[in-house]
Amino acid sequence: MYPDRVVSGMRPTGSMHLGHYHGALKNWIKLQAEQPCLFFVADWHALTTHYDDPSVIERSTWEMLIDWLAAGIDPSQTTLFIQSRVPEHAELHLLLSMATPLGWLERVPTYKDQIENLSTRDLATYGFLGYPLLQAADVLIYRASLVPVGDDQVPHIEMMREIARRFNHLYGKEKGFEEKAEKAVKKLGSKRAKLYSELRTEYQRDGKDDALEQAKAMLDDAQNLSLGDRERLFGYLEGSRKLILVEPQARLTAAGRLPGLDGRKMSKSYGNAIALREDKESVGKKIRTMPTDPARVRRTDAGDPTRCPVWQFHQVYSDAPTQAWVQRGCVSAGIGCIECKQPVIDAIVKEQEPMHERAQQYLDDPSLVRAIVADGNDAARRLAQETMRDVREAMGLAYT
Ligand code: SF4
């Protein structure tokens, strides 16, 4: 099988806030230590909803990249790039669009939601309808095995899988495939070849999924096969097609959600956000003026943490003894709200200190970020070109 890879992108929204950090970036930082990752700025996606106002895209892109680096995305472990600098995404998007039924795009749940939620914009455009397909191209072009997503994005991954399956079915036919696959089976060596054939029969005749998994694991271990033979044997297990595109899996982002200062979703447009690199005086001021349980009008009134957004911050930032102190002190009116908020302020300021430090070098010398991204663009492009060679060949566009 192709090597494991994680791919994820974000629209350039300018500077990031702590909601982005706890909702996505922390997870990216964890993933980069586990597997090869490609993280990209989805600048074309920004145009699907803001095609009439592209003026902020470039500035937002660089601000966002500095925040990623400040948060701890490590360019020595991860490939960071800008989507539009890898034009192969657009080529694959176009080619996939030829065979993608319109109904698949129209039924994506976020399509209807966004049309309703963004009713002030004219989103009856071809680009907006096609954005899940562009997302599919963004992922499939790297043959990604994993895509970190929230619950609402799972249907998009399902669609990517369907698109990859359909593509392999339509274009994975290879002249003399069965003969080539049988020759590749022999290269496994007699014992493994026998086992492969038995497992393939068990899967195809009896539908045994564990036989399929066992056979795949065996192929993963078979070091003596060429990439072409390996893909043939993976495809041969499930039918008579070569696997050109890989079906990615969704990796659900563990719920580490940090709400906004007013308890709603954190968002710059709601005015309830704390920027990733907010200065500490401003952090203190914002937390000290946060709303609390509305029932606690006076210091002597008992409160209920479950009705207070500060408690949600404690759940993200405080250890168990501090949380117990909040619970006891709030319901008994033993502590005041300003007192209760101080550990949250301290924890946020502490969390942000290394981010400020890491960001400083990029603010002092912006060419460092440019260089990191230029390297990332090149690396991403090399991988994208590998896939596109196979895609063009499969679709009769190789012109050799
Ligand atoms: S004591 Fe803490 S949890 Fe209770 S209402 Fe005040 S800020 Fe909220």
Side-chain angles (χ1 to χ4, degrees), residues 290-294 296 302-311 314 326-327 329-331 335-341:
M290 258 181 96
T292 58
D293 175 2
R296 261 202 110 177
D304 176 358
T306 60
R307 290 205 297 257
C308 175
V310 179
W311 170 241
H314 274 294
V326 172
Q327 287 282 349
C330 183
V331 297
I335 58 172
C337 290
I338 291 291
E339 198 182 349
C340 175
K341 289 170 173 179

Side-chain angles (χ1 to χ4, degrees), residues 287 314 317-318 322 325-326 337-349:
I287 300 289
H314 274 294
Y317 282 105
S318 299
T322 309
W325 169 79
V326 172
C337 290
I338 291 291
E339 198 182 349
C340 175
K341 289 170 173 179
Q342 192 56 46
V344 171
I345 297 172
D346 295 342
I348 294 177
V349 168

Side-chain angles (χ1 to χ4, degrees), residues 108-127:
V108 172
T110 49
Y111 175 66
K112 283 189 190 138
D113 290 355
Q114 291 230 41
I115 291 260
E116 280 162 23
N117 291 340
L118 301 174
S119 54
T120 51
R121 295 182 178 278
D122 179 9
L123 293 180
T125 58
Y126 170 70

